[in-house]
Amino acid sequence: AARQELEHCRTQAELQNLKSQLNPHFLFNTLNNIYSLIQIDADRAQQAVHDLSRMLRYVLYESSCPTVPLAAEVEFLRDYIELMRIRYTDAVNISVESPGNLPEQLSIPPLLLIVFVENAFKHGISYSRPSFIHIRVRYIDGKVYYSIINSRHTAEPSGKDAGIGLENVRRRLQLIFANRHTLAIDTRRPNMYRVKPVSYTHLTLP
C-alpha cells in the first residue's frame, strides 16, 4: 500500500510538472500573436486581449482540476482558434467539428489538445500557399476521438520539430491513461500532417 501511494504521488508530481511546462508554451505563443496584431489593428487587438483574458481564466483556474468538461475544453480551443484566425486571410480554411450535445459529465484532462492545435498553426499555415486546419471531436461508445489534420509546407514532418509540447502530451497520456489510449501521427503524405486519433475511455467528474 505504501509503495502504491508513493507511486501515485510521484505520478501526480510529474503530471503537475508537465502541465506547468505546457502553460508557458501556450502563453508565449499567444502573447506573440497579440503583439503582431497590435501593429495591424488596434481595435481587434483590444478584442483579442479580452478573448485572451477569458482563456487565461480557463488556464489558471480550470487547469488546476484533474479533469474538465470536454465541452469546456472544446470551447477553449474555439477561443484560441478565433484569436489565431485574426492573423490570417480567408484563404486559410479552418474548421472545428464537434457534437453539440456532449454529456455534461464527460470530461478529460485540461489543456491536453492545445499543443496539437498550436503545432497545426505553427507548421501548417503559409502566407503564400493555400492552407487548412481541420479539427474534429467525436464521442462514440465511451471513447473520445480527435482528428487534427493540417496542410504541410516543409520537407520535414511537423512532429520532428514540435518541441517539448508534443513530448509532454505523449507523457501525460501515458501517465494518465497508460494503455487505454492511442496516439497516431500520420506524415505519409508530403503536403498533409494528421494526428489521428487521440482516443481514450472517458473520465467522469466526481
Side-chain angles (χ1 to χ4, degrees), residues 19-136:
K19 286 206 306 183
S20 71
Q21 294 179 47
L22 282 173
N23 294 351
H25 180 255
F26 159 73
L27 290 175
F28 178 78
N29 287 340
T30 304
L31 288 173
N32 273 342
N33 295 340
I34 291 181
Y35 176 79
S36 300
L37 184 61
I38 289 173
Q39 303 176 59
I40 301 171
D41 190 327
D43 290 338
R44 283 193 172 188
Q46 287 184 343
Q47 180 61 43
V49 170
H50 173 75
D51 293 342
L52 178 60
S53 67
R54 182 173 57 196
M55 295 167 65
L56 287 178
R57 191 176 303 113
Y58 180 87
V59 171
L60 292 172
Y61 297 107
E62 300 296 335
S63 69
S64 62
C65 302
T67 61
V68 295
L70 176 59
E73 183 79 357
V74 171
E75 189 62 27
F76 169 75
L77 293 179
R78 289 184 183 275
D79 287 341
Y80 174 84
I81 289 167
E82 287 305 308
L83 183 62
M84 293 293 292
R85 195 192 297 268
I86 298 175
R87 297 184 57 190
Y88 306 105
T89 68
D90 293 337
V92 178
N93 186 335
I94 306 173
S95 65
V96 182
E97 179 184 343
S98 64
N101 58 343
L102 289 170
E104 291 186 5
Q105 71 274 20
L106 181 61
S107 62
I108 65 171
L111 305 179
L112 196 64
L113 306 178
I114 187 62
V115 169
F116 296 115
V117 178
E118 284 184 315
N119 285 339
F121 276 99
K122 179 178 180 181
H123 302 287
I125 302 300
S126 169
Y127 286 100
S128 59
R129 286 178 283 179
S131 304
F132 65 88
I133 299 175
H134 297 155
I135 301 170
R136 188 180 187 189

Side-chain angles (χ1 to χ4, degrees), residues 125-172:
I125 302 300
S126 169
Y127 286 100
S128 59
R129 286 178 283 179
S131 304
F132 65 88
I133 299 175
H134 297 155
I135 301 170
R136 188 180 187 189
V137 180
R138 293 180 296 162
Y139 174 59
I140 303 173
D141 295 332
K143 292 185 178 180
V144 181
Y145 295 86
Y146 306 95
S147 177
I148 303 177
I149 307 172
N150 59 268
S151 50
R152 195 171 80 203
H153 305 288
T154 59
E156 292 298 320
S158 304
K160 289 188 177 180
D161 64 343
I164 193 171
L166 181 56
E167 291 307 312
N168 279 351
V169 171
R170 290 182 187 274
R171 185 60 179 153
R172 285 187 72 195

